[in-house]
Amino acid sequence: MTRSRTVELEGHIIDSGTMQRCFGAVMDLGGSFDVEQFDVGKHETEESYCRLTVSADDTETLRAILHELHQNGAVLEDPSEVNLVAAPADKVVPPNFYSTTNHPTEVLYGGEWIAVERIEMDCALVVEPEPAADAGEGNRADASGDDETDGGPRAYTKTLNAVEEGDLVATDESGIRVNPPERPRSGGGAFGFMQGGVSAERPSESTIREVAAELRAVKEDGGNVMVVAGPAVIHSGAGNALADLVAAGYVDALSAGNGFATHDLERSIYGTSLGMDVETLEHPRKGHKHHIWTISEIIRAGGIEAAVEEGIVTEGVMYECVENDVDTVLAGSIRDDGPLPDTITDAVEAQNAIREQAHEADLVIMLATLLHSVAVGNCLPSTTKTVCVDINPATVTQLLDRGSAQAIGMVTDIGTFVPTLAEFVLEEAGSAEGHAEGGDA
């Protein structure tokens, strides 16, 4: 017996490719569809509406098709309210729990659609009928004091290790609406709708100039810029340029690992990175020991901030982060030397620290680090503008494949990208300041 359900699509579903993806998903999974109503928007700002009946030969196939349609923003006609099941124990979710996407999401509860706070992929979705006095652990927005509660029900994400016994967790996809990004009604430059992808053939200088313009615009609007950096930034000689951006106030948060910080500090103390002089490319005698000596110096001082205060560290990215009060998270790994006392060695604690940074960010720039880029990407909503730069195309493609489809990818030498970005940002900023002073005169 054929099974069928009716779903609805609404929004800019034609030019954003939503209809094409939905129709393709139905056919690829062995189903069929019958369009019952299709109202096309007559101009670029008017939304379209489509109602279609989806059919399949068996329940499992239909369920798979509905899942794919749901991920693309389709909603069942006359949807039921979200299905909630209490978590049976701490860190234990109910069977068939709903795993979130990184797209803006709403739940139907109490007859109203409620926006899910602090959305990110691969989390449980928790509904709180009445807000608790203390938000507790997890991804709850007011846990960090960001939002005020209005006394009504709330929905928010929680990582599995933050789920507490009794939490009301959403199961299956009933009463849940996903809103994938749509093509913006205006341009968008490098960050226009789904202009991501990976190519080394793009005119990189013009793309870097667009990224620089976006970085300045975010800061002018009071936004937050997060940089995710790998050791190659220092090895390639781009550390000075990144430090200049930090010093000029264009970086609000830095997410990196023990290696990045160690080699940046090594460069300040010994003039080398991993034992090599970045300027001359020479390897000083015993240079291979410089990184471990650096770690010992920082430990002896009591941490990076103390080393800056004592004059042990006098330049570099970490120096500027201390001097300019930049929020810094150093997440450790099993391969770390030392590590530095500032490095967070507990993986869950490090994830939570990165998560707090990611949810504050309006623009994220990922520089030559696969693991940290994917880790941060996993925490980002699809609405956060993201650029990933690496000489290895696999780094960029893996980020996009993991679900960060909003990212634009540039396959280029990080030693060229960062100085060029800094030049464009600081050059234009100086030019704007000069024009302002001339106008005042």
Side-chain angles (χ1 to χ4, degrees):
M1 181 183 295
T2 302
R3 305 290 193 272
S4 63
R5 294 296 299 270
T6 301
V7 299
E8 297 175 308
L9 291 163
E10 192 168 4
H12 299 291
I13 57 179
I14 300 175
D15 59 352
S16 291
T18 301
M19 281 191 62
Q20 177 183 352
R21 291 194 299 273
C22 287
F23 289 173
V26 174
M27 293 183 288
D28 290 345
L29 292 172
S32 61
F33 61 85
D34 180 22
V35 176
E36 298 180 355
Q37 182 179 346
F38 187 18
D39 301 327
V40 181
K42 299 300 193 297
H43 50 79
E44 68 273 11
T45 59
E46 185 178 355
E47 296 184 344
S48 300
Y49 170 83
C50 179
R51 184 175 70 248
L52 64 155
T53 297
V54 182
S55 304
D57 292 336
D58 56 80
T59 302
E60 285 303 314
T61 300
L62 180 61
R63 183 179 293 118
I65 291 172
L66 292 176
H67 171 76
E68 289 300 317
L69 297 182
H70 170 81
Q71 303 291 295
N72 284 283
V75 181
L76 289 173
E77 186 181 39
D78 299 322
S80 58
E81 290 213 345
V82 61
N83 186 35
L84 302 174
V85 177
D90 289 353
K91 303 182 182 181
V92 180
V93 291
N96 199 31
F97 79 99
Y98 177 78
S99 178
T100 57
T101 71
N102 61 350
H103 300 315
T105 303
E106 299 169 288
V107 297
L108 183 60
Y109 182 79
E112 296 184 359
W113 287 102
I114 303 170
V116 178
E117 300 167 6
R118 291 169 70 84
I119 193 68
E120 65 177 86
M121 67 176 76
D122 302 332
C123 290
L125 197 164
V126 174
V127 174
E128 204 173 82
E130 296 296 333
D134 181 5
E137 298 297 324
N139 300 4
R140 179 77 186 274
D142 57 347
S144 59
D146 293 338
D147 294 331
E148 296 288 338
T149 177
D150 60 4
R154 302 182 74 177
Y156 50 93
T157 60
K158 271 193 172 185
T159 56
L160 298 191
N161 59 33
V163 169
E164 299 174 296
E165 181 178 357
D167 279 344
L168 296 179
V169 179
T171 59
D172 59 63
E173 293 165 346
S174 61
I176 299 174
R177 181 165 64 190
V178 174
N179 300 302
E182 296 181 334
R183 181 184 294 278
R185 300 300 96 193
S186 57
F191 294 93
F193 173 74
M194 299 300 276
Q195 289 181 8
V198 186
S199 175
E201 304 300 323
R202 291 179 174 175
S204 58
E205 184 170 312
S206 61
T207 305
I208 296 172
R209 194 175 289 279
E210 288 183 332
V211 173
E214 186 63 35
L215 195 161
R216 290 195 308 273
V218 168
K219 292 306 301 175
E220 288 170 2
D221 290 340
N224 182 290
V225 176
M226 178 180 182
V227 170
V228 185
V233 173
I234 308 303
H235 302 332
S236 67
N240 286 344
L242 181 55
D244 289 342
L245 287 172
V246 175
Y250 286 97
V251 177
D252 299 286
L254 173 70
S255 178
N258 185 72
F260 171 86
T262 296
H263 296 304
D264 175 70
L265 296 166
E266 174 193 345
R267 186 150 190 264
S268 174
I269 298 173
Y270 294 102
T272 60
S273 176
L274 202 59
M276 181 187 73
D277 188 309
V278 175
E279 305 297 335
T280 66
L281 304 185
E282 295 178 350
H283 289 77
R285 183 172 177 272
K286 295 187 177 182
H288 63 286
K289 297 184 178 182
H290 286 176
H291 75 285
I292 202 68
W293 288 351
T294 296
I295 292 171
S296 69
E297 288 298 310
I298 302 302
I299 293 174
R300 184 176 296 111
I304 297 173
E305 184 174 352
V308 170
E309 292 174 352
E310 292 181 23
I312 298 170
V313 175
T314 58
E315 62 180 344
V317 179
M318 301 310 300
Y319 171 84
E320 295 295 349
C321 284
V322 171
E323 290 291 287
N324 293 277
D325 197 26
V326 170
D327 178 34
T328 303
V329 172
L330 302 180
S333 72
I334 197 170
R335 61 181 290 182
D336 287 342
D337 288 324
L340 294 164
D342 304 79
T343 300
I344 303 173
T345 56
D346 183 293
V348 173
E349 182 184 346
Q351 286 178 351
N352 289 334
I354 290 172
R355 181 168 287 112
E356 291 303 313
Q357 288 184 312
H359 279 280
E360 292 292 326
D362 298 296
L363 171 64
V364 178
I365 302 176
M366 301 172 173
L367 305 172
T369 171
L370 171 59
L371 295 181
H372 285 268
S373 293
V374 172
V376 172
N378 288 350
C379 300
L380 292 174
S382 62
T383 51
T384 302
K385 294 176 179 179
T386 307
V387 57
C388 180
V389 185
D390 202 294
I391 195 65
N392 182 1
T395 298
V396 188
T397 54
Q398 186 164 339
L399 176 70
L400 271 62
D401 290 344
R402 279 286 301 150
S404 300
Q406 80 275 17
I408 63 167
M410 293 187 64
V411 180
T412 189
D413 173 31
I414 204 69
T416 299
F417 175 85
V418 180
T420 305
L421 177 67
E423 177 186 347
F424 289 160
V425 170
L426 301 177
E427 172 187 277
E428 292 298 325
S431 175
E433 185 177 336
H435 285 307
E437 291 176 355
D440 291 340

